[in-house]
Amino acid sequence: MKTLIAVSTYLFLLADVVCASSLQEQNKALAKRAFEELLSGGRFELAEQLYAKDFVNHGIRRDISLAEDQAALKGWHEAFPDVVIVPEKLIAEGDLVTIYWIARGTNTGTGNGLPATGKKVEQAGITIWRIVNGKIKEEWSAFDQLSLMQQLGLLSDQKPSGAADTDATDKKKE
């Protein structure tokens, strides 16, 4: 009887691990599809298939809805019509998928308040999605907006006069 209980427990735990792994792989596949087809490919009609109706993008200053999130994405596509956003690394745990991505494009249009500069940019960022019932329900993202503005020539990348290069110990480099 003890052997039967031990084997049953083992099989139950194994099935749980297999199901969790399968769910994580499904979530990664959804994230990869969203990046390739919607974010990079501009197939905005897929938003209804990929995102929950009550999706929330948790911004630094405020949360935004799916409609606001998609409007911003369309603005990026207007500013960078040739944008390609590549999901470089995907890590899944539970209902979360973390994506390290790299975006490349040329700023030939206006969108999201940017003037057309004609400059090429490369930007890396990290997005975390919480996926529930096969749809993206929540998002947390970060990317270096200062670097983006500098690459576009909209902000100086020069140090203020009198600033010196320093290392992590704040000693002047020699």
Side-chain angles (χ1 to χ4, degrees), residues 18-38:
V18 168
C19 287
S21 176
S22 175
L23 179 61
Q24 290 169 350
E25 290 304 314
Q26 289 173 14
N27 288 347
K28 284 168 63 174
L30 173 68
K32 187 173 181 185
R33 180 177 180 217
F35 264 84
E36 291 175 351
E37 295 182 35
L38 177 63

Side-chain angles (χ1 to χ4, degrees), residues 17-150:
V17 167
V18 168
C19 287
S21 176
S22 175
L23 179 61
Q24 290 169 350
E25 290 304 314
Q26 289 173 14
N27 288 347
K28 284 168 63 174
L30 173 68
K32 187 173 181 185
R33 180 177 180 217
F35 264 84
E36 291 175 351
E37 295 182 35
L38 177 63
L39 300 171
S40 186
R43 294 191 53 209
F44 303 111
E45 73 277 6
L46 293 177
E48 290 181 21
Q49 292 177 24
L50 303 174
Y51 290 84
K53 290 187 189 307
D54 59 346
F55 166 84
V56 176
N57 183 335
H58 300 285
I60 294 172
R61 292 178 193 81
R62 69 180 184 92
D63 293 345
I64 64 171
S65 67
L66 179 58
E68 291 174 291
D69 185 75
Q70 291 301 297
L73 178 61
K74 289 174 184 175
W76 288 116
H77 276 264
E78 289 169 10
F80 301 90
D82 65 343
V83 70
V84 175
I85 309 169
V86 179
E88 294 285 324
K89 302 283 183 198
L90 290 94
I91 302 167
E93 183 174 322
D95 61 356
L96 298 175
V97 177
T98 301
I99 307 103
Y100 170 73
W101 51 265
I102 296 178
R104 294 174 182 90
T106 311
N107 178 224
T108 57
T110 59
N112 288 348
L114 296 173
T117 64
K119 297 193 176 185
K120 292 185 179 294
V121 298
E122 181 174 74
Q123 189 70 52
I126 295 201
T127 295
I128 301 170
W129 278 331
R130 186 166 79 89
I131 299 174
V132 178
N133 296 325
K135 296 208 175 194
I136 302 165
K137 184 159 178 84
E138 291 183 273
E139 176 178 323
W140 299 263
S141 285
F143 68 96
D144 185 359
Q145 295 178 32
L146 176 62
S147 169
L148 177 65
M149 295 299 143
Q150 289 171 334

